[in-house]
Amino acid sequence: MILPIYWAFLTFMLLKPGIENVEYAFMFEGIDKVLHLSIFTFLGFSFFASFPKIKFAYFIQIMMIYALLTEILQDEMHWGRSLEFLDLVADMIGVLVGYFIFKKLQRTII
């Protein structure tokens, strides 16, 4: 049940208008990549938890298409966001981390 809610929230957050170059005390260079990795780790984990029997290749394809589409839409919507290749890399690393966490917990619990 959490997957559709999280996916909708994530889509909103990735596509909402952004303000580039705003500095806060907690920010550091590369924080956006850490955020991408973190949110896609949870997405990958929750997706696999919702569909544990899905083939890994399908899972990767779905996640890659989603990550690519959100990056393209960020660029095309001209709302202060842009397409960045390293965001895609962080997204896919996050998805893989989520997958491996799920598999590790699955082996531990079962």
Side-chain angles (χ1 to χ4, degrees), residues 59-78:
F59 165 71
I60 288 297
Q61 289 172 4
I62 291 167
M63 294 293 106
M64 190 174 295
I65 290 168
Y66 177 71
L68 184 58
L69 281 176
T70 56
E71 286 297 317
I72 290 170
L73 286 172
Q74 283 178 0
D75 198 50
E76 291 297 317
M77 293 169 79
H78 305 291

Side-chain angles (χ1 to χ4, degrees), residues 12-29:
F12 170 76
M13 292 304 290
L14 289 171
L15 298 181
K16 75 180 187 122
I19 301 170
E20 297 287 334
N21 302 324
V22 175
E23 296 292 326
Y24 297 102
F26 63 87
M27 295 181 85
F28 54 89
E29 188 168 337

Side-chain angles (χ1 to χ4, degrees), residues 31-88:
I31 190 171
D32 62 322
K33 305 310 178 248
V34 173
L35 292 173
H36 273 265
L37 187 130
S38 301
I39 62 179
F40 274 83
T41 295
F42 187 72
L43 179 63
F45 178 87
S46 61
F47 188 93
F48 229 91
S50 297
F51 304 102
K53 295 185 189 276
I54 192 169
K55 291 185 179 184
F56 181 76
Y58 295 151
F59 165 71
I60 288 297
Q61 289 172 4
I62 291 167
M63 294 293 106
M64 190 174 295
I65 290 168
Y66 177 71
L68 184 58
L69 281 176
T70 56
E71 286 297 317
I72 290 170
L73 286 172
Q74 283 178 0
D75 198 50
E76 291 297 317
M77 293 169 79
H78 305 291
W79 284 353
R81 301 213 170 205
S82 59
L83 186 150
E84 292 185 35
F85 175 74
L86 290 179
D87 284 350
L88 287 170

